[in-house]
Amino acid sequence: MPTRGQRRAAGGHPNHDRHAPNDTRFPVVTGEQPKCRSIYVYVLFRREVRPMTQSPGHVHEAGLSPALTPAQAFDALYAFCAPALVRQAYLLTGRRELAQEAVERAFQLAWQNWPQVARDRDPAGWVRAMVHECALSPWHRFRLRYRHPEPPPADAADRALLEALLKLPPTYRRTLLLYDGIGLDLPETAAETEASTPAAAGRLTRARRLVAGQVPELADPAALHRRLAELASTERLRAAQPPTVRTYAERRTRFWTRSALAFTATIVVATTLTLRTAPTHYEAPIGPAQAISGVPAEVGMGPLSAGERALQAKLRKSVQNGPERVVPLAR
């Protein structure tokens, strides 16, 4: 099955005809269709509010300078996408703090992989996919701060819709948001959720049926799209400033780089110490001890006899070298 990047490279694009041209509630995919191959050209056109159907060669003809630094291009992409991505993450999780955290984490990954993201044909789609994956990560359930639900929306209709969304499986929730909330077409939705087109269609149909069972007035897809946009817009959700995200991403990169170097150094030192102290030849193990029979028991020395005491006294009275030696007789 092709991956999300392979399907995107094959030419899948969002269907923007289902939204009004001035719809800013989901600005990640609304507006003109980006066909530029570089984030720098993409940002330049967005700043000048020019049609996105021009090729990168028109930048010089229009008198625009493509000399944007990576930080400027990243900040422009962040300012353009972050507000909508926070609202999308909120619809996926129902948690305001987690939505902001997912967006910041996704943009940190984008800054760490900026050369790849900048050359992507859809940088906003790259970041959006990372936001959704971070928001729906199953590891959040083990965090104490996310084990208890947040206060629901004040409006009863918004509360019912959010409860219906959160009861859906994560894959159904994401498919519904991409197709009915953001406005992607079915192949693009399937590619972003890493599923086949029939599987994405089945998830979408079942998700719509489950939501309609909880909120019957949302059986119409148009009404569902409108209510999703309203629910996302009613919450006051904010994201951190771009310099803060870039700084934290750089600190995180330095931390993991230093950790990797320290871990490698530890492995090298441990390996060297092992090589220096390890035995270089085989030593046979010592066998277990066994009792030996037939050996007489040791006895202690008894008192000296009269003759031994006399000999001892004679030796002590002799010269230092002992008594004169017996000289052999000459033949």
Side-chain angles (χ1 to χ4, degrees), residues 11 13 17 25 117 190 206 224 227 255 263 274 292 324:
H13 289 286
D17 298 336
R25 291 171 296 186
V117 178
R206 286 188 287 271
L224 178 59
R227 291 291 296 116
F255 170 77
F263 181 75
T274 302
I292 301 176
E324 294 78 1

mmCIF file with all atom_site columns, all heavy atoms in Angstrom, residues 11 13 17 25 117 190 206 224 227 255 263 274 292 324:
data_model
loop_
_atom_site.group_PDB
_atom_site.id
_atom_site.type_symbol
_atom_site.label_atom_id
_atom_site.label_alt_id
_atom_site.label_comp_id
_atom_site.label_asym_id
_atom_site.label_entity_id
_atom_site.label_seq_id
_atom_site.pdbx_PDB_ins_code
_atom_site.Cartn_x
_atom_site.Cartn_y
_atom_site.Cartn_z
_atom_site.occupancy
_atom_site.B_iso_or_equiv
_atom_site.pdbx_formal_charge
_atom_site.auth_seq_id
_atom_site.auth_comp_id
_atom_site.auth_asym_id
_atom_site.auth_atom_id
_atom_site.pdbx_PDB_model_num
ATOM 1   N N   . GLY A 1 11  ? 0.072   13.005  -6.921 1.00 0.00 ? 11  GLY A N   1
ATOM 2   C CA  . GLY A 1 11  ? -0.743  14.095  -7.441 1.00 0.00 ? 11  GLY A CA  1
ATOM 3   C C   . GLY A 1 11  ? -2.047  14.316  -6.758 1.00 0.00 ? 11  GLY A C   1
ATOM 4   O O   . GLY A 1 11  ? -2.918  15.016  -7.281 1.00 0.00 ? 11  GLY A O   1
ATOM 5   N N   . HIS A 1 13  ? -4.666  16.031  -4.348 1.00 0.00 ? 13  HIS A N   1
ATOM 6   C CA  . HIS A 1 13  ? -4.804  17.368  -3.776 1.00 0.00 ? 13  HIS A CA  1
ATOM 7   C C   . HIS A 1 13  ? -6.154  17.492  -3.107 1.00 0.00 ? 13  HIS A C   1
ATOM 8   O O   . HIS A 1 13  ? -7.103  16.785  -3.453 1.00 0.00 ? 13  HIS A O   1
ATOM 9   C CB  . HIS A 1 13  ? -4.678  18.451  -4.857 1.00 0.00 ? 13  HIS A CB  1
ATOM 10  C CG  . HIS A 1 13  ? -3.285  18.582  -5.373 1.00 0.00 ? 13  HIS A CG  1
ATOM 11  N ND1 . HIS A 1 13  ? -2.274  19.158  -4.662 1.00 0.00 ? 13  HIS A ND1 1
ATOM 12  C CD2 . HIS A 1 13  ? -2.736  18.174  -6.538 1.00 0.00 ? 13  HIS A CD2 1
ATOM 13  C CE1 . HIS A 1 13  ? -1.148  19.137  -5.362 1.00 0.00 ? 13  HIS A CE1 1
ATOM 14  N NE2 . HIS A 1 13  ? -1.405  18.535  -6.507 1.00 0.00 ? 13  HIS A NE2 1
ATOM 15  N N   . ASP A 1 17  ? -13.350 23.007  -3.652 1.00 0.00 ? 17  ASP A N   1
ATOM 16  C CA  . ASP A 1 17  ? -14.595 23.568  -4.167 1.00 0.00 ? 17  ASP A CA  1
ATOM 17  C C   . ASP A 1 17  ? -15.721 23.486  -3.162 1.00 0.00 ? 17  ASP A C   1
ATOM 18  O O   . ASP A 1 17  ? -16.726 24.183  -3.285 1.00 0.00 ? 17  ASP A O   1
ATOM 19  C CB  . ASP A 1 17  ? -15.005 22.820  -5.446 1.00 0.00 ? 17  ASP A CB  1
ATOM 20  C CG  . ASP A 1 17  ? -13.957 22.995  -6.544 1.00 0.00 ? 17  ASP A CG  1
ATOM 21  O OD1 . ASP A 1 17  ? -13.234 24.015  -6.463 1.00 0.00 ? 17  ASP A OD1 1
ATOM 22  O OD2 . ASP A 1 17  ? -13.862 22.130  -7.426 1.00 0.00 ? 17  ASP A OD2 1
ATOM 23  N N   . ARG A 1 25  ? -11.929 29.463  8.530  1.00 0.00 ? 25  ARG A N   1
ATOM 24  C CA  . ARG A 1 25  ? -12.034 28.646  9.737  1.00 0.00 ? 25  ARG A CA  1
ATOM 25  C C   . ARG A 1 25  ? -11.070 27.467  9.677  1.00 0.00 ? 25  ARG A C   1
ATOM 26  O O   . ARG A 1 25  ? -10.599 26.992  10.687 1.00 0.00 ? 25  ARG A O   1
ATOM 27  C CB  . ARG A 1 25  ? -13.474 28.137  9.902  1.00 0.00 ? 25  ARG A CB  1
ATOM 28  C CG  . ARG A 1 25  ? -14.458 29.242  10.235 1.00 0.00 ? 25  ARG A CG  1
ATOM 29  C CD  . ARG A 1 25  ? -15.875 28.747  10.169 1.00 0.00 ? 25  ARG A CD  1
ATOM 30  N NE  . ARG A 1 25  ? -16.223 28.339  8.813  1.00 0.00 ? 25  ARG A NE  1
ATOM 31  C CZ  . ARG A 1 25  ? -17.451 27.977  8.448  1.00 0.00 ? 25  ARG A CZ  1
ATOM 32  N NH1 . ARG A 1 25  ? -18.413 27.983  9.322  1.00 0.00 ? 25  ARG A NH1 1
ATOM 33  N NH2 . ARG A 1 25  ? -17.700 27.610  7.212  1.00 0.00 ? 25  ARG A NH2 1
ATOM 34  N N   . VAL A 1 117 ? 10.821  19.273  4.781  1.00 0.00 ? 117 VAL A N   1
ATOM 35  C CA  . VAL A 1 117 ? 9.506   19.914  4.773  1.00 0.00 ? 117 VAL A CA  1
ATOM 36  C C   . VAL A 1 117 ? 9.467   21.048  3.758  1.00 0.00 ? 117 VAL A C   1
ATOM 37  O O   . VAL A 1 117 ? 8.465   21.242  3.064  1.00 0.00 ? 117 VAL A O   1
ATOM 38  C CB  . VAL A 1 117 ? 9.165   20.426  6.179  1.00 0.00 ? 117 VAL A CB  1
ATOM 39  C CG1 . VAL A 1 117 ? 7.823   21.134  6.193  1.00 0.00 ? 117 VAL A CG1 1
ATOM 40  C CG2 . VAL A 1 117 ? 9.156   19.278  7.174  1.00 0.00 ? 117 VAL A CG2 1
ATOM 41  N N   . ALA A 1 190 ? -7.662  9.081   2.274  1.00 0.00 ? 190 ALA A N   1
ATOM 42  C CA  . ALA A 1 190 ? -7.122  7.732   2.420  1.00 0.00 ? 190 ALA A CA  1
ATOM 43  C C   . ALA A 1 190 ? -5.603  7.755   2.508  1.00 0.00 ? 190 ALA A C   1
ATOM 44  O O   . ALA A 1 190 ? -5.006  7.018   3.309  1.00 0.00 ? 190 ALA A O   1
ATOM 45  C CB  . ALA A 1 190 ? -7.573  6.861   1.253  1.00 0.00 ? 190 ALA A CB  1
ATOM 46  N N   . ARG A 1 206 ? -19.369 4.847   8.251  1.00 0.00 ? 206 ARG A N   1
ATOM 47  C CA  . ARG A 1 206 ? -19.706 4.414   9.604  1.00 0.00 ? 206 ARG A CA  1
ATOM 48  C C   . ARG A 1 206 ? -19.594 5.562   10.604 1.00 0.00 ? 206 ARG A C   1
ATOM 49  O O   . ARG A 1 206 ? -20.396 5.658   11.541 1.00 0.00 ? 206 ARG A O   1
ATOM 50  C CB  . ARG A 1 206 ? -18.797 3.250   10.000 1.00 0.00 ? 206 ARG A CB  1
ATOM 51  C CG  . ARG A 1 206 ? -19.163 1.943   9.321  1.00 0.00 ? 206 ARG A CG  1
ATOM 52  C CD  . ARG A 1 206 ? -18.357 0.785   9.889  1.00 0.00 ? 206 ARG A CD  1
ATOM 53  N NE  . ARG A 1 206 ? -16.969 0.838   9.446  1.00 0.00 ? 206 ARG A NE  1
ATOM 54  C CZ  . ARG A 1 206 ? -16.515 0.273   8.323  1.00 0.00 ? 206 ARG A CZ  1
ATOM 55  N NH1 . ARG A 1 206 ? -17.371 -0.375  7.522  1.00 0.00 ? 206 ARG A NH1 1
ATOM 56  N NH2 . ARG A 1 206 ? -15.242 0.327   8.002  1.00 0.00 ? 206 ARG A NH2 1
ATOM 57  N N   . LEU A 1 224 ? -23.091 18.798  9.004  1.00 0.00 ? 224 LEU A N   1
ATOM 58  C CA  . LEU A 1 224 ? -22.000 18.313  9.836  1.00 0.00 ? 224 LEU A CA  1
ATOM 59  C C   . LEU A 1 224 ? -20.749 19.162  9.647  1.00 0.00 ? 224 LEU A C   1
ATOM 60  O O   . LEU A 1 224 ? -20.070 19.517  10.617 1.00 0.00 ? 224 LEU A O   1
ATOM 61  C CB  . LEU A 1 224 ? -21.708 16.854  9.498  1.00 0.00 ? 224 LEU A CB  1
ATOM 62  C CG  . LEU A 1 224 ? -20.554 16.195  10.257 1.00 0.00 ? 224 LEU A CG  1
ATOM 63  C CD1 . LEU A 1 224 ? -20.800 16.226  11.756 1.00 0.00 ? 224 LEU A CD1 1
ATOM 64  C CD2 . LEU A 1 224 ? -20.350 14.760  9.779  1.00 0.00 ? 224 LEU A CD2 1
ATOM 65  N N   . ARG A 1 227 ? -21.272 22.481  11.460 1.00 0.00 ? 227 ARG A N   1
ATOM 66  C CA  . ARG A 1 227 ? -21.203 22.370  12.916 1.00 0.00 ? 227 ARG A CA  1
ATOM 67  C C   . ARG A 1 227 ? -19.777 22.091  13.395 1.00 0.00 ? 227 ARG A C   1
ATOM 68  O O   . ARG A 1 227 ? -19.376 22.563  14.452 1.00 0.00 ? 227 ARG A O   1
ATOM 69  C CB  . ARG A 1 227 ? -22.141 21.252  13.387 1.00 0.00 ? 227 ARG A CB  1
ATOM 70  C CG  . ARG A 1 227 ? -23.602 21.588  13.221 1.00 0.00 ? 227 ARG A CG  1
ATOM 71  C CD  . ARG A 1 227 ? -24.051 22.690  14.190 1.00 0.00 ? 227 ARG A CD  1
ATOM 72  N NE  . ARG A 1 227 ? -23.921 22.223  15.566 1.00 0.00 ? 227 ARG A NE  1
ATOM 73  C CZ  . ARG A 1 227 ? -23.105 22.746  16.466 1.00 0.00 ? 227 ARG A CZ  1
ATOM 74  N NH1 . ARG A 1 227 ? -22.326 23.774  16.146 1.00 0.00 ? 227 ARG A NH1 1
ATOM 75  N NH2 . ARG A 1 227 ? -23.052 22.272  17.704 1.00 0.00 ? 227 ARG A NH2 1
ATOM 76  N N   . PHE A 1 255 ? 19.858  18.449  22.910 1.00 0.00 ? 255 PHE A N   1
ATOM 77  C CA  . PHE A 1 255 ? 19.791  17.513  24.029 1.00 0.00 ? 255 PHE A CA  1
ATOM 78  C C   . PHE A 1 255 ? 19.945  16.070  23.554 1.00 0.00 ? 255 PHE A C   1
ATOM 79  O O   . PHE A 1 255 ? 20.744  15.297  24.112 1.00 0.00 ? 255 PHE A O   1
ATOM 80  C CB  . PHE A 1 255 ? 18.465  17.681  24.774 1.00 0.00 ? 255 PHE A CB  1
ATOM 81  C CG  . PHE A 1 255 ? 18.193  16.609  25.790 1.00 0.00 ? 255 PHE A CG  1
ATOM 82  C CD1 . PHE A 1 255 ? 18.834  16.625  27.014 1.00 0.00 ? 255 PHE A CD1 1
ATOM 83  C CD2 . PHE A 1 255 ? 17.302  15.574  25.512 1.00 0.00 ? 255 PHE A CD2 1
ATOM 84  C CE1 . PHE A 1 255 ? 18.591  15.625  27.954 1.00 0.00 ? 255 PHE A CE1 1
ATOM 85  C CE2 . PHE A 1 255 ? 17.057  14.585  26.439 1.00 0.00 ? 255 PHE A CE2 1
ATOM 86  C CZ  . PHE A 1 255 ? 17.703  14.610  27.663 1.00 0.00 ? 255 PHE A CZ  1
ATOM 87  N N   . PHE A 1 263 ? 25.928  8.487   25.315 1.00 0.00 ? 263 PHE A N   1
ATOM 88  C CA  . PHE A 1 263 ? 25.646  7.050   25.299 1.00 0.00 ? 263 PHE A CA  1
ATOM 89  C C   . PHE A 1 263 ? 26.696  6.299   24.485 1.00 0.00 ? 263 PHE A C   1
ATOM 90  O O   . PHE A 1 263 ? 27.160  5.222   24.886 1.00 0.00 ? 263 PHE A O   1
ATOM 91  C CB  . PHE A 1 263 ? 24.251  6.807   24.719 1.00 0.00 ? 263 PHE A CB  1
ATOM 92  C CG  . PHE A 1 263 ? 23.850  5.364   24.681 1.00 0.00 ? 263 PHE A CG  1
ATOM 93  C CD1 . PHE A 1 263 ? 23.485  4.700   25.832 1.00 0.00 ? 263 PHE A CD1 1
ATOM 94  C CD2 . PHE A 1 263 ? 23.852  4.666   23.485 1.00 0.00 ? 263 PHE A CD2 1
ATOM 95  C CE1 . PHE A 1 263 ? 23.122  3.366   25.804 1.00 0.00 ? 263 PHE A CE1 1
ATOM 96  C CE2 . PHE A 1 263 ? 23.486  3.333   23.440 1.00 0.00 ? 263 PHE A CE2 1
ATOM 97  C CZ  . PHE A 1 263 ? 23.119  2.685   24.596 1.00 0.00 ? 263 PHE A CZ  1
ATOM 98  N N   . THR A 1 274 ? 36.136  -3.786  29.149 1.00 0.00 ? 274 THR A N   1
ATOM 99  C CA  . THR A 1 274 ? 35.898  -5.228  29.068 1.00 0.00 ? 274 THR A CA  1
ATOM 100 C C   . THR A 1 274 ? 37.036  -5.931  28.353 1.00 0.00 ? 274 THR A C   1
ATOM 101 O O   . THR A 1 274 ? 37.492  -7.012  28.765 1.00 0.00 ? 274 THR A O   1
ATOM 102 C CB  . THR A 1 274 ? 34.566  -5.490  28.355 1.00 0.00 ? 274 THR A CB  1
ATOM 103 O OG1 . THR A 1 274 ? 33.506  -4.836  29.062 1.00 0.00 ? 274 THR A OG1 1
ATOM 104 C CG2 . THR A 1 274 ? 34.266  -6.977  28.286 1.00 0.00 ? 274 THR A CG2 1
ATOM 105 N N   . ILE A 1 292 ? 40.478  -37.532 51.428 1.00 0.00 ? 292 ILE A N   1
ATOM 106 C CA  . ILE A 1 292 ? 41.475  -38.565 51.130 1.00 0.00 ? 292 ILE A CA  1
ATOM 107 C C   . ILE A 1 292 ? 41.580  -39.480 52.347 1.00 0.00 ? 292 ILE A C   1
ATOM 108 O O   . ILE A 1 292 ? 41.799  -39.026 53.478 1.00 0.00 ? 292 ILE A O   1
ATOM 109 C CB  . ILE A 1 292 ? 42.840  -37.944 50.805 1.00 0.00 ? 292 ILE A CB  1
ATOM 110 C CG1 . ILE A 1 292 ? 42.696  -37.015 49.589 1.00 0.00 ? 292 ILE A CG1 1
ATOM 111 C CG2 . ILE A 1 292 ? 43.881  -39.018 50.535 1.00 0.00 ? 292 ILE A CG2 1
ATOM 112 C CD1 . ILE A 1 292 ? 43.962  -36.277 49.250 1.00 0.00 ? 292 ILE A CD1 1
ATOM 113 N N   . GLU A 1 324 ? 82.924  -30.475 66.783 1.00 0.00 ? 324 GLU A N   1
ATOM 114 C CA  . GLU A 1 324 ? 83.888  -30.714 65.728 1.00 0.00 ? 324 GLU A CA  1
ATOM 115 C C   . GLU A 1 324 ? 83.438  -31.889 64.877 1.00 0.00 ? 324 GLU A C   1
ATOM 116 O O   . GLU A 1 324 ? 82.918  -32.882 65.377 1.00 0.00 ? 324 GLU A O   1
ATOM 117 C CB  . GLU A 1 324 ? 85.275  -31.026 66.344 1.00 0.00 ? 324 GLU A CB  1
ATOM 118 C CG  . GLU A 1 324 ? 85.918  -29.891 67.089 1.00 0.00 ? 324 GLU A CG  1
ATOM 119 C CD  . GLU A 1 324 ? 85.336  -29.700 68.456 1.00 0.00 ? 324 GLU A CD  1
ATOM 120 O OE1 . GLU A 1 324 ? 84.433  -30.496 68.809 1.00 0.00 ? 324 GLU A OE1 1
ATOM 121 O OE2 . GLU A 1 324 ? 85.712  -28.752 69.158 1.00 0.00 ? 324 GLU A OE2 1
#
